[in-house]
mmCIF file of all heavy atoms in Angstrom:
data_model
loop_
_atom_site.group_PDB
_atom_site.id
_atom_site.type_symbol
_atom_site.label_atom_id
_atom_site.label_comp_id
_atom_site.label_asym_id
_atom_site.label_seq_id
_atom_site.Cartn_x
_atom_site.Cartn_y
_atom_site.Cartn_z
ATOM 1 N N PRO A 1 0.824 -1.161 0.082
ATOM 2 C CA PRO A 1 -0.050 -0.018 -0.042
ATOM 3 C C PRO A 1 0.907 1.320 -0.035
ATOM 4 O O PRO A 1 0.444 2.189 -0.662
ATOM 5 C CB PRO A 1 -0.907 -0.135 1.296
ATOM 6 C CG PRO A 1 -0.876 -1.580 1.425
ATOM 7 C CD PRO A 1 0.342 -2.248 1.028
ATOM 8 N N LYS A 2 1.902 1.269 0.760
ATOM 9 C CA LYS A 2 2.748 2.490 0.748
ATOM 10 C C LYS A 2 3.426 2.726 -0.537
ATOM 11 O O LYS A 2 3.457 3.988 -1.049
ATOM 12 C CB LYS A 2 3.812 2.349 1.741
ATOM 13 C CG LYS A 2 3.374 2.271 3.209
ATOM 14 C CD LYS A 2 4.596 2.241 4.203
ATOM 15 C CE LYS A 2 3.993 2.262 5.567
ATOM 16 N NZ LYS A 2 5.014 2.176 6.557
ATOM 17 N N ALA A 3 3.721 1.738 -1.325
ATOM 18 C CA ALA A 3 4.225 1.923 -2.731
ATOM 19 C C ALA A 3 3.319 2.408 -3.682
ATOM 20 O O ALA A 3 3.580 3.336 -4.546
ATOM 21 C CB ALA A 3 4.977 0.642 -3.216
ATOM 22 N N ILE A 4 2.006 1.913 -3.461
ATOM 23 C CA ILE A 4 0.911 2.260 -4.347
ATOM 24 C C ILE A 4 0.544 3.699 -4.123
ATOM 25 O O ILE A 4 0.344 4.405 -5.135
ATOM 26 C CB ILE A 4 -0.321 1.297 -4.208
ATOM 27 C CG1 ILE A 4 0.005 -0.064 -4.664
ATOM 28 C CG2 ILE A 4 -1.544 1.946 -4.876
ATOM 29 C CD1 ILE A 4 -1.116 -1.003 -4.304
ATOM 30 N N ASP A 5 0.449 4.198 -2.732
ATOM 31 C CA ASP A 5 0.237 5.559 -2.573
ATOM 32 C C ASP A 5 1.236 6.476 -2.985
ATOM 33 O O ASP A 5 0.980 7.587 -3.497
ATOM 34 C CB ASP A 5 0.033 5.672 -0.996
ATOM 35 C CG ASP A 5 -1.312 4.963 -0.554
ATOM 36 O OD1 ASP A 5 -2.031 4.358 -1.482
ATOM 37 O OD2 ASP A 5 -1.629 4.826 0.627
ATOM 38 N N ASP A 6 2.575 6.080 -2.814
ATOM 39 C CA ASP A 6 3.680 6.970 -3.355
ATOM 40 C C ASP A 6 3.555 7.133 -4.844
ATOM 41 O O ASP A 6 3.767 8.309 -5.299
ATOM 42 C CB ASP A 6 5.083 6.275 -2.886
ATOM 43 C CG ASP A 6 6.113 7.113 -3.413
ATOM 44 O OD1 ASP A 6 6.305 8.265 -3.012
ATOM 45 O OD2 ASP A 6 6.899 6.483 -4.314
ATOM 46 N N LYS A 7 3.212 6.057 -5.624
ATOM 47 C CA LYS A 7 3.185 6.153 -6.987
ATOM 48 C C LYS A 7 1.955 7.067 -7.453
ATOM 49 O O LYS A 7 2.007 7.960 -8.198
ATOM 50 C CB LYS A 7 3.065 4.765 -7.556
ATOM 51 C CG LYS A 7 2.985 4.800 -8.968
ATOM 52 C CD LYS A 7 2.964 3.234 -9.619
ATOM 53 C CE LYS A 7 2.745 3.149 -11.065
ATOM 54 N NZ LYS A 7 2.656 1.749 -11.503
ATOM 55 N N MET A 8 0.781 6.778 -6.818
ATOM 56 C CA MET A 8 -0.519 7.181 -7.379
ATOM 57 C C MET A 8 -0.864 8.524 -6.815
ATOM 58 O O MET A 8 -1.638 9.316 -7.454
ATOM 59 C CB MET A 8 -1.589 6.187 -7.286
ATOM 60 C CG MET A 8 -1.298 4.890 -8.121
ATOM 61 S SD MET A 8 -2.580 3.592 -7.853
ATOM 62 C CE MET A 8 -3.693 4.167 -9.022
ATOM 63 N N LEU A 9 -0.530 8.746 -5.561
ATOM 64 C CA LEU A 9 -0.935 9.974 -4.862
ATOM 65 C C LEU A 9 0.161 11.111 -4.946
ATOM 66 O O LEU A 9 -0.097 12.225 -5.097
ATOM 67 C CB LEU A 9 -1.348 9.761 -3.482
ATOM 68 C CG LEU A 9 -2.437 8.713 -3.317
ATOM 69 C CD1 LEU A 9 -2.831 8.627 -1.804
ATOM 70 C CD2 LEU A 9 -3.706 9.200 -4.075
ATOM 71 N N TYR A 10 1.457 10.752 -4.826
ATOM 72 C CA TYR A 10 2.499 11.669 -4.585
ATOM 73 C C TYR A 10 3.391 11.886 -5.811
ATOM 74 O O TYR A 10 3.960 12.931 -5.899
ATOM 75 C CB TYR A 10 3.367 11.334 -3.409
ATOM 76 C CG TYR A 10 2.612 11.000 -2.082
ATOM 77 C CD1 TYR A 10 2.899 9.822 -1.259
ATOM 78 C CD2 TYR A 10 1.685 11.918 -1.592
ATOM 79 C CE1 TYR A 10 2.234 9.507 -0.220
ATOM 80 C CE2 TYR A 10 0.983 11.630 -0.429
ATOM 81 C CZ TYR A 10 1.234 10.536 0.223
ATOM 82 O OH TYR A 10 0.448 10.207 1.333
ATOM 83 N N ARG A 11 3.304 10.920 -6.726
ATOM 84 C CA ARG A 11 4.115 11.055 -7.846
ATOM 85 C C ARG A 11 3.238 11.296 -9.164
ATOM 86 O O ARG A 11 3.824 11.153 -10.363
ATOM 87 C CB ARG A 11 5.077 9.853 -8.029
ATOM 88 C CG ARG A 11 6.193 9.725 -6.893
ATOM 89 C CD ARG A 11 7.376 8.814 -7.394
ATOM 90 N NE ARG A 11 6.935 7.407 -7.271
ATOM 91 C CZ ARG A 11 6.834 6.646 -8.294
ATOM 92 N NH1 ARG A 11 7.315 6.932 -9.532
ATOM 93 N NH2 ARG A 11 6.580 5.227 -8.084
ATOM 94 N N GLN A 12 1.925 11.436 -8.970
ATOM 95 C CA GLN A 12 0.998 11.713 -10.064
ATOM 96 C C GLN A 12 1.119 10.633 -11.225
ATOM 97 O O GLN A 12 1.043 11.026 -12.317
ATOM 98 C CB GLN A 12 1.425 13.118 -10.661
ATOM 99 C CG GLN A 12 1.130 14.367 -9.824
ATOM 100 C CD GLN A 12 -0.249 14.464 -9.482
ATOM 101 O OE1 GLN A 12 -0.561 14.431 -8.336
ATOM 102 N NE2 GLN A 12 -1.091 14.819 -10.478
ATOM 103 N N ARG A 13 1.138 9.472 -10.739
ATOM 104 C CA ARG A 13 1.169 8.359 -11.756
ATOM 105 C C ARG A 13 -0.252 7.620 -11.724
ATOM 106 O O ARG A 13 -1.061 7.794 -10.829
ATOM 107 C CB ARG A 13 2.243 7.383 -11.440
ATOM 108 C CG ARG A 13 3.665 7.805 -11.774
ATOM 109 C CD ARG A 13 3.863 7.810 -13.225
ATOM 110 N NE ARG A 13 3.555 6.644 -13.927
ATOM 111 C CZ ARG A 13 4.489 5.489 -13.952
ATOM 112 N NH1 ARG A 13 5.661 5.621 -13.294
ATOM 113 N NH2 ARG A 13 4.085 4.292 -14.536
ATOM 114 N N GLY A 14 -0.540 6.755 -12.766
ATOM 115 C CA GLY A 14 -1.718 5.940 -12.652
ATOM 116 C C GLY A 14 -1.236 4.482 -12.216
ATOM 117 O O GLY A 14 -0.225 4.390 -11.537
ATOM 118 N N GLY A 15 -2.083 3.565 -12.671
ATOM 119 C CA GLY A 15 -1.730 2.211 -12.363
ATOM 120 C C GLY A 15 -2.652 1.395 -13.160
ATOM 121 O O GLY A 15 -3.551 1.696 -13.819
ATOM 122 N N TYR A 16 -2.526 -0.007 -12.740
ATOM 123 C CA TYR A 16 -3.488 -0.954 -13.352
ATOM 124 C C TYR A 16 -4.359 -1.398 -12.284
ATOM 125 O O TYR A 16 -4.286 -1.042 -11.282
ATOM 126 C CB TYR A 16 -2.982 -1.965 -14.301
ATOM 127 C CG TYR A 16 -1.833 -2.884 -13.821
ATOM 128 C CD1 TYR A 16 -1.707 -3.141 -12.375
ATOM 129 C CD2 TYR A 16 -1.166 -3.776 -14.693
ATOM 130 C CE1 TYR A 16 -0.813 -3.999 -11.981
ATOM 131 C CE2 TYR A 16 -0.292 -4.782 -14.239
ATOM 132 C CZ TYR A 16 -0.072 -4.905 -12.836
ATOM 133 O OH TYR A 16 0.826 -5.852 -12.493
ATOM 134 N N CYS A 17 -5.209 -2.553 -12.601
ATOM 135 C CA CYS A 17 -6.253 -3.003 -11.722
ATOM 136 C C CYS A 17 -5.828 -3.184 -10.315
ATOM 137 O O CYS A 17 -6.559 -2.646 -9.359
ATOM 138 C CB CYS A 17 -6.960 -4.127 -12.207
ATOM 139 S SG CYS A 17 -6.042 -5.639 -12.376
ATOM 140 N N PHE A 18 -4.776 -3.896 -10.079
ATOM 141 C CA PHE A 18 -4.406 -4.135 -8.568
ATOM 142 C C PHE A 18 -4.110 -3.024 -7.813
ATOM 143 O O PHE A 18 -4.451 -2.875 -6.603
ATOM 144 C CB PHE A 18 -3.242 -5.228 -8.656
ATOM 145 C CG PHE A 18 -3.711 -6.557 -9.151
ATOM 146 C CD1 PHE A 18 -3.071 -6.943 -10.367
ATOM 147 C CD2 PHE A 18 -4.717 -7.442 -8.569
ATOM 148 C CE1 PHE A 18 -3.390 -8.093 -10.959
ATOM 149 C CE2 PHE A 18 -4.919 -8.664 -9.200
ATOM 150 C CZ PHE A 18 -4.290 -8.924 -10.583
ATOM 151 N N GLU A 19 -3.395 -2.047 -8.518
ATOM 152 C CA GLU A 19 -3.124 -0.822 -7.905
ATOM 153 C C GLU A 19 -4.336 0.129 -7.561
ATOM 154 O O GLU A 19 -4.499 0.669 -6.427
ATOM 155 C CB GLU A 19 -2.103 -0.036 -8.690
ATOM 156 C CG GLU A 19 -0.803 -0.855 -8.789
ATOM 157 C CD GLU A 19 0.142 -0.329 -9.933
ATOM 158 O OE1 GLU A 19 -0.261 -0.415 -11.071
ATOM 159 O OE2 GLU A 19 1.214 0.277 -9.643
ATOM 160 N N HIS A 20 -5.206 0.250 -8.542
ATOM 161 C CA HIS A 20 -6.370 1.096 -8.375
ATOM 162 C C HIS A 20 -7.294 0.467 -7.404
ATOM 163 O O HIS A 20 -7.794 1.214 -6.504
ATOM 164 C CB HIS A 20 -7.087 1.132 -9.705
ATOM 165 C CG HIS A 20 -6.561 2.209 -10.695
ATOM 166 N ND1 HIS A 20 -6.895 3.498 -10.603
ATOM 167 C CD2 HIS A 20 -5.752 2.098 -11.891
ATOM 168 C CE1 HIS A 20 -6.340 4.120 -11.712
ATOM 169 N NE2 HIS A 20 -5.649 3.281 -12.332
ATOM 170 N N THR A 21 -7.395 -0.875 -7.291
ATOM 171 C CA THR A 21 -8.393 -1.546 -6.476
ATOM 172 C C THR A 21 -7.858 -1.332 -5.105
ATOM 173 O O THR A 21 -8.740 -1.077 -4.098
ATOM 174 C CB THR A 21 -8.412 -2.993 -6.741
ATOM 175 O OG1 THR A 21 -9.074 -3.176 -8.104
ATOM 176 C CG2 THR A 21 -9.430 -3.732 -5.794
ATOM 177 N N SER A 22 -6.577 -1.481 -4.860
ATOM 178 C CA SER A 22 -6.076 -1.323 -3.460
ATOM 179 C C SER A 22 -6.252 0.123 -2.878
ATOM 180 O O SER A 22 -6.635 0.215 -1.732
ATOM 181 C CB SER A 22 -4.512 -1.593 -3.431
ATOM 182 O OG SER A 22 -3.851 -1.203 -2.307
ATOM 183 N N LEU A 23 -6.004 1.091 -3.792
ATOM 184 C CA LEU A 23 -6.046 2.422 -3.307
ATOM 185 C C LEU A 23 -7.618 2.772 -3.182
ATOM 186 O O LEU A 23 -7.848 3.276 -1.971
ATOM 187 C CB LEU A 23 -5.551 3.499 -4.364
ATOM 188 C CG LEU A 23 -5.751 4.959 -4.270
ATOM 189 C CD1 LEU A 23 -5.110 5.342 -2.995
ATOM 190 C CD2 LEU A 23 -5.314 5.652 -5.402
ATOM 191 N N LEU A 24 -8.496 2.486 -4.014
ATOM 192 C CA LEU A 24 -9.834 2.763 -3.781
ATOM 193 C C LEU A 24 -10.528 2.051 -2.569
ATOM 194 O O LEU A 24 -11.290 2.594 -1.832
ATOM 195 C CB LEU A 24 -10.704 2.532 -5.145
ATOM 196 C CG LEU A 24 -12.191 2.929 -5.019
ATOM 197 C CD1 LEU A 24 -12.196 4.427 -4.843
ATOM 198 C CD2 LEU A 24 -12.847 2.612 -6.414
ATOM 199 N N GLN A 25 -10.089 0.740 -2.498
ATOM 200 C CA GLN A 25 -10.650 0.099 -1.383
ATOM 201 C C GLN A 25 -10.329 0.686 -0.023
ATOM 202 O O GLN A 25 -11.240 0.753 0.920
ATOM 203 C CB GLN A 25 -10.067 -1.459 -1.349
ATOM 204 C CG GLN A 25 -10.606 -2.260 -0.096
ATOM 205 C CD GLN A 25 -9.910 -3.649 -0.163
ATOM 206 O OE1 GLN A 25 -8.913 -3.994 -0.729
ATOM 207 N NE2 GLN A 25 -10.724 -4.606 0.638
ATOM 208 N N ARG A 26 -9.188 1.128 0.245
ATOM 209 C CA ARG A 26 -8.630 1.656 1.394
ATOM 210 C C ARG A 26 -9.349 3.046 1.549
ATOM 211 O O ARG A 26 -9.694 3.420 2.700
ATOM 212 C CB ARG A 26 -7.236 1.878 1.498
ATOM 213 C CG ARG A 26 -6.484 0.545 1.682
ATOM 214 C CD ARG A 26 -5.065 0.580 1.579
ATOM 215 N NE ARG A 26 -4.409 0.709 0.380
ATOM 216 C CZ ARG A 26 -3.744 1.808 0.065
ATOM 217 N NH1 ARG A 26 -3.530 2.786 0.953
ATOM 218 N NH2 ARG A 26 -3.205 1.997 -1.084
ATOM 219 N N VAL A 27 -9.638 3.803 0.496
ATOM 220 C CA VAL A 27 -10.400 5.086 0.567
ATOM 221 C C VAL A 27 -11.720 4.893 1.076
ATOM 222 O O VAL A 27 -12.150 5.511 2.038
ATOM 223 C CB VAL A 27 -10.291 5.885 -0.777
ATOM 224 C CG1 VAL A 27 -11.295 7.027 -0.779
ATOM 225 C CG2 VAL A 27 -8.907 6.316 -1.006
ATOM 226 N N LEU A 28 -12.433 4.007 0.461
ATOM 227 C CA LEU A 28 -13.828 3.636 0.613
ATOM 228 C C LEU A 28 -13.928 3.167 2.142
ATOM 229 O O LEU A 28 -14.913 3.508 2.958
ATOM 230 C CB LEU A 28 -14.309 2.614 -0.171
ATOM 231 C CG LEU A 28 -14.431 3.128 -1.666
ATOM 232 C CD1 LEU A 28 -15.143 2.030 -2.587
ATOM 233 C CD2 LEU A 28 -15.486 4.474 -1.725
ATOM 234 N N GLN A 29 -13.075 2.281 2.630
ATOM 235 C CA GLN A 29 -13.227 1.876 3.983
ATOM 236 C C GLN A 29 -12.820 2.806 5.009
ATOM 237 O O GLN A 29 -13.550 2.980 6.104
ATOM 238 C CB GLN A 29 -12.176 0.623 4.210
ATOM 239 C CG GLN A 29 -12.522 -0.631 3.367
ATOM 240 C CD GLN A 29 -11.617 -1.679 3.524
ATOM 241 O OE1 GLN A 29 -10.379 -1.398 3.672
ATOM 242 N NE2 GLN A 29 -12.117 -3.057 3.530
ATOM 243 N N THR A 30 -12.023 3.767 4.593
ATOM 244 C CA THR A 30 -11.702 4.868 5.582
ATOM 245 C C THR A 30 -12.979 5.833 5.689
ATOM 246 O O THR A 30 -13.244 6.357 6.792
ATOM 247 C CB THR A 30 -10.575 5.698 5.126
ATOM 248 O OG1 THR A 30 -9.327 4.981 4.924
ATOM 249 C CG2 THR A 30 -10.334 6.921 5.922
ATOM 250 N N LEU A 31 -13.793 5.937 4.686
ATOM 251 C CA LEU A 31 -14.972 6.683 4.639
ATOM 252 C C LEU A 31 -16.149 5.908 5.268
ATOM 253 O O LEU A 31 -17.299 6.540 5.334
ATOM 254 C CB LEU A 31 -15.285 7.127 3.127
ATOM 255 C CG LEU A 31 -14.363 8.139 2.496
ATOM 256 C CD1 LEU A 31 -14.756 8.351 1.149
ATOM 257 C CD2 LEU A 31 -14.355 9.489 3.315
ATOM 258 N N GLY A 32 -15.928 4.692 5.631
ATOM 259 C CA GLY A 32 -17.051 3.955 6.322
ATOM 260 C C GLY A 32 -17.822 2.941 5.497
ATOM 261 O O GLY A 32 -18.738 2.422 5.925
ATOM 262 N N PHE A 33 -17.375 2.825 4.143
ATOM 263 C CA PHE A 33 -18.026 1.895 3.390
ATOM 264 C C PHE A 33 -17.531 0.344 3.743
ATOM 265 O O PHE A 33 -16.365 0.203 4.114
ATOM 266 C CB PHE A 33 -17.790 2.118 1.850
ATOM 267 C CG PHE A 33 -18.368 3.327 1.358
ATOM 268 C CD1 PHE A 33 -17.647 4.537 1.304
ATOM 269 C CD2 PHE A 33 -19.721 3.244 0.673
ATOM 270 C CE1 PHE A 33 -18.309 5.708 0.814
ATOM 271 C CE2 PHE A 33 -20.134 4.299 0.232
ATOM 272 C CZ PHE A 33 -19.537 5.542 0.319
#
């Protein structure tokens, strides 16, 4: 997760399914989903 966040949040990169899914899952869970 730290590598994904560094890449997609701090280095303005994208990713493929496993990276997107990890990021979005953690965002949604943080918001209570």
Side-chain angles (χ1 to χ4, degrees):
K2 291 183 179 179
I4 292 172
D5 292 356
D6 176 65
K7 178 181 179 180
M8 302 178 76
L9 298 183
Y10 308 131
R11 293 195 287 117
Q12 293 295 114
R13 288 288 306 279
Y16 63 12
C17 66
F18 297 110
E19 298 165 294
H20 278 278
T21 297
S22 168
L23 176 60
L24 185 60
Q25 179 183 17
R26 289 179 285 117
V27 167
L28 293 176
Q29 288 175 329
T30 300
L31 291 173
F33 289 92

